[in-house]
Amino acid sequence: MKYEPVIGLEVHVQLDTKTKLFCGCSTAFGARANSQICPVCIGLPGVLPVLNKEAVNLSIKTGLSLECTIAPFSKFDRKNYFYPDLPKAYQVSQFDLPVNLNGKLEIQVDGKSKVIGITRAHLEEDAGKLNHDETGTGDSGVDYNRGGIPLLEIVSEPDMRSPEEAYAYLKALKAILEYIAVSDCNMEQGSLRCDANISLRPEGQEKFGTRAEIKNLNSFRNVQKAIYYEMDRQAKMLDAGERVVQETRLYDAVSGKTRSMRSKEEANDYRYFPEPDLVPLVIDSAWSDSIKATLPELPQAKKARFVKEFELPEYDAGVLTTEIPLANYFEECVKEGAKPKVVSNWVLSELLRKLNDNNESIETCKIKPKMICEMLNLIDKGTISGKIAKTVFKEMFESGGSPEKIVQEKGLVQIADTGEIDQIIEQVLSDNTKSVEDFRGGKKNAFGFLVGQVMKASRGKANPQMVNQILGEKLK
Amino acid sequence: MSISKEDVEKVAKLARLQFSGEEVETFTSQMTDILKYIEQLNELDTEGVEPTAHVLPIQNVLREDKVTNGKPSKTIFVNAPKEEEHQFKVPQVIE
């Protein structure tokens, strides 16, 4: 039978605050185990948690960017379960009255736009980190440095219908979070974590099937892969007349499979109740408006502006606006006088490839916007050809030297002297009499070969238009 | 509303408590009594009354995002059954 997947995603984002959600412990990454803990975040009796205002600000900022309603009244609750990474045996979270509700996020898949609903985005504290002993002592170590760090859990509606849509959603969400700088979104350090809920239903059926929740997804590509695996697994079960069990499953990146996580099955009864140590959070419009005033231009808006203002294709605008530094770089080039589409071509092909190959970021790149413009001017003036420009570009990327200097030092100036080109062509023609005969005998593609030989003989420096013209005349 | 033996066993399991059959019997009747007592509240008309989120008439108690805690004192491990290389040691958790 043909099935349609129904996918919802839960994304946990570590908010970029200096201190934890309810105490003044540092949130710095990489500190010695248990060096950033206090009686509050390890849950000693008699302590009183106090809410971090900046964490609330960043939550509102995220909510506004996702077009959520900012709840005028929200509160905190205790989610009860026993696990060694949870020192209090409950996690402080927001249950029935979260800070952000009913948002949306637009995604693009195969050139089509789709709006994915955001159910809620609520504040909660992170748990500690369990380190499993590999020496076989049978013990696990617990480090509570991470315990109490503010998280925003962003829950989507089950609106996605393919692994590609899930991937696009995560990319779009990460772009927004980076734009508004609420989190460093570093997946390796766990600042961005994702769980996927997935179920199948026969095509055309309204009612959702039974879902599985997939955890341990440490990259967006793995989310996509895990969903594919789950679709296959659930389809096989349904085809065989079996029932899909509602459960939590772990993704194993090495095998590409998911497996049941039995420990979580029995105790899905969190007995939430209001956190008596924390008073309600009231956000009036003055507060949310003051945050709204700090919002930058968001990815979708920037993309639309690039298309309109610079007459770029959707694709170019989309890639250029994935990250603010790249978008700024491009705008800087245009400000320096470069033609938008020309500079976009260079950025999208040469620059991004070089950055990627060298694992460098646009911020540390030695080629500054002004240098790209100077190089483009050299092409416009006919000093260098587009092909030579690639050599200049490579040199600029490595040395950071100015294009003029590179062209001079390396002797890359284009040969635009008729006499000189004439001479090279004569030599090539006498060395390739067979091709000349072929051409005269009607083999038109011999012309291209001869052009290639001339360019080779000039070490790429001959002006291609002039070569074409002079060669054409000679072969008439 | 009355509490069944199964309810008591479930709550006990969630709280990681173990009771003898006799204790379960006792708690079943005791918890039923407690709930019956609380049930009196149902006699009140709460139509249109918002659920109480907090008993104190206070809201928005917030702190600035400044690091105020230095290194934790050594005594943080005093009650830990086992400590090794600054980590609390617990029986292995396998997933």
Side-chain angles (χ1 to χ4, degrees):
Chain A
M1 201 191 285
K2 272 273 224 177
Y3 299 102
E4 176 186 56
V6 173
I7 305 158
L9 296 173
E10 292 168 17
V11 173
H12 287 84
V13 188
Q14 255 183 23
L15 296 176
D16 201 3
T17 54
K18 291 186 190 69
T19 63
K20 293 187 179 181
L21 189 52
F22 301 117
C23 62
C25 285
S26 168
T27 57
F29 183 80
R32 199 203 74 207
N34 293 309
S35 65
Q36 292 170 173
I37 58 175
C38 75
V40 174
C41 59
I42 60 163
L44 295 188
V47 295
L48 192 65
V50 185
L51 184 58
N52 182 340
K53 190 176 180 187
E54 182 61 10
V56 180
N57 287 340
L58 296 179
S59 305
I60 298 173
K61 202 171 181 184
T62 310
L64 290 171
S65 303
L66 296 172
E67 297 178 55
C68 290
T69 305
I70 309 300
F73 185 96
S74 70
K75 74 176 197 353
F76 291 89
D77 303 272
R78 290 185 180 179
K79 178 181 181 177
N80 300 280
Y81 64 95
F82 292 108
Y83 209 68
D85 63 5
L86 204 62
K88 301 191 288 281
Y90 61 82
Q91 177 193 29
V92 179
S93 181
Q94 294 190 297
F95 182 51
D96 57 335
L97 296 172
V99 63
N100 297 304
L101 281 164
N102 302 328
K104 57 182 186 225
L105 177 62
E106 194 182 323
I107 61 165
Q108 253 99 34
V109 177
D110 296 331
K112 280 190 214 118
S113 283
K114 181 172 177 178
V115 173
I116 307 297
I118 307 280
T119 315
R120 56 191 280 157
H122 68 258
L123 261 173
E124 62 184 30
E125 58 179 348
D126 207 344
K129 193 170 184 308
L130 284 167
N131 297 305
H132 303 295
D133 194 339
E134 270 121 46
T135 58
T137 57
D139 282 344
S140 290
V142 198
D143 173 8
Y144 291 118
N145 282 351
R146 198 178 68 183
I149 288 183
L151 294 178
L152 194 69
E153 180 176 337
I154 304 168
V155 184
S156 87
E157 288 287 304
D159 284 347
M160 286 155 273
R161 295 291 175 269
S162 71
E164 287 68 34
E165 285 185 9
Y167 182 78
Y169 169 86
L170 292 168
K171 290 283 270 189
L173 181 61
K174 182 168 178 252
I176 288 186
L177 297 171
E178 283 175 338
Y179 262 58
I180 60 176
V182 293
S183 170
D184 64 20
C185 294
N186 187 330
M187 287 192 92
E188 274 127 54
Q189 292 180 6
S191 334
L192 196 73
R193 281 167 260 159
C194 175
D195 301 334
N197 284 298
I198 158 162
S199 66
L200 295 186
R201 62 179 174 189
E203 257 180 20
Q205 181 184 299
E206 189 74 21
K207 199 169 162 274
F208 289 167
T210 308
R211 68 168 193 270
E213 183 183 3
I214 319 297
K215 287 186 178 290
N216 201 30
L217 300 164
N218 58 1
S219 79
F220 292 174
R221 283 289 168 214
N222 280 348
V223 173
Q224 207 177 346
K225 283 185 202 156
I227 294 172
Y228 270 119
Y229 177 83
E230 241 345 83
M231 282 165 65
D232 192 48
R233 185 187 73 89
Q234 293 185 17
K236 277 185 185 139
M237 288 180 81
L238 294 170
D239 281 339
E242 291 170 51
R243 280 179 49 189
V244 174
V245 194
Q246 183 166 339
E247 62 175 351
T248 304
R249 299 178 69 85
L250 272 186
Y251 179 69
D252 177 9
V254 179
S255 65
K257 293 176 177 170
T258 66
R259 63 185 158 84
S260 186
M261 196 174 156
R262 297 185 200 289
S263 64
K264 285 253 173 175
E265 260 169 60
E266 48 190 49
N268 251 338
D269 185 345
Y270 294 126
R271 294 149 293 148
Y272 281 97
F273 66 88
E275 163 62 274
D277 288 343
L278 290 161
V279 295
L281 177 62
V282 174
I283 300 167
D284 58 13
S285 53
W287 189 354
S288 67
D289 285 349
S290 74
I291 303 286
K292 202 174 204 163
T294 69
L295 284 184
E297 182 181 37
L298 295 176
Q300 290 288 345
K302 202 183 268 294
K303 184 182 162 191
R305 180 168 65 79
F306 275 23
V307 169
K308 199 163 164 250
E309 196 176 321
F310 304 126
E311 294 173 343
L312 290 179
E314 289 267 333
Y315 173 80
D316 291 40
V319 178
L320 290 172
T321 53
T322 41
E323 290 171 32
I324 284 191
L326 187 65
N328 288 347
Y329 186 93
F330 169 78
E331 286 207 85
E332 195 61 37
C333 291
V334 175
K335 230 184 259 163
E336 292 281 347
K339 292 192 193 84
K341 179 57 185 156
V342 176
V343 86
S344 166
N345 288 348
W346 278 91
V347 170
L348 262 49
S349 55
E350 299 297 312
L351 187 62
L352 287 184
R353 190 173 64 231
K354 278 245 170 289
L355 289 174
N356 206 24
D357 288 351
N358 293 280
N359 213 0
E360 254 199 74
S361 79
I362 192 85
E363 284 112 322
T364 57
C365 179
K366 284 189 182 136
I367 304 183
K368 301 299 167 205
K370 208 170 162 217
M371 290 156 64
I372 287 211
C373 292
E374 284 166 9
M375 185 197 76
L376 295 177
N377 277 337
L378 292 177
I379 301 176
D380 283 349
K381 281 193 290 186
T383 314
I384 53 170
S385 66
K387 202 167 167 223
I388 292 286
K390 287 189 182 171
T391 312
V392 176
F393 193 88
K394 185 168 170 271
E395 192 62 33
M396 290 199 299
F397 188 86
E398 279 154 19
S399 70
S402 88
E404 277 100 348
K405 225 175 118 196
I406 291 167
V407 167
Q408 264 168 24
E409 277 173 9
K410 305 252 157 184
L412 294 171
V413 178
Q414 180 164 253
I415 303 169
D417 176 65
T418 322
E420 205 175 327
I421 292 178
D422 205 84
Q423 219 175 341
I424 300 169
I425 290 179
E426 283 301 332
Q427 186 62 43
V428 167
L429 291 182
S430 66
D431 289 349
N432 295 279
T433 45
K434 173 92 176 53
S435 298
V436 176
E437 272 169 41
D438 284 351
F439 177 76
R440 295 216 162 106
K443 272 198 183 166
K444 292 295 165 207
N445 55 3
F447 188 80
F449 171 76
L450 289 167
V451 171
Q453 291 304 305
V454 175
M455 293 308 292
K456 203 173 150 196
S458 75
R459 283 185 294 139
K461 290 190 287 184
N463 179 315
Q465 284 84 26
M466 290 176 73
V467 170
N468 269 300
Q469 200 201 333
I470 297 172
L471 190 64
E473 276 163 19
K474 282 191 186 293
L475 290 176
K476 248 182 210 159
Chain B
M1 188 183 161
S2 80
I3 292 281
S4 69
K5 245 177 73 177
E6 287 71 37
D7 290 329
V8 174
E9 276 159 359
K10 189 187 170 201
V11 172
K13 195 177 176 193
L14 286 168
R16 303 286 194 275
L17 294 172
Q18 231 170 0
F19 296 129
S20 67
E22 206 179 308
E23 281 169 320
V24 171
E25 295 287 346
T26 311
F27 293 142
T28 303
S29 76
Q30 282 184 349
M31 283 167 79
T32 300
D33 287 346
I34 292 167
L35 273 187
K36 284 233 168 78
Y37 178 69
I38 300 288
E39 252 172 17
Q40 288 181 68
L41 287 173
N42 287 343
E43 288 165 24
L44 274 175
D45 180 10
T46 54
E47 190 66 37
V49 178
E50 283 289 316
T52 303
H54 204 281
V55 291
L56 296 176
I58 306 172
Q59 60 203 34
N60 292 1
V61 176
L62 300 154
R63 40 172 272 275
E64 293 303 314
D65 186 26
K66 284 204 186 103
V67 178
T68 50
N69 296 338
K71 277 218 175 89
S73 107
K74 252 286 176 198
T75 55
I76 211 119
F77 289 110
V78 161
N79 294 319
K82 221 169 155 192
E83 179 224 334
E84 216 177 275
E85 291 181 3
H86 310 290
Q87 299 204 54
F88 294 91
K89 287 285 176 179
V90 297
Q92 183 140 32
V93 189
I94 306 164
E95 288 295 0

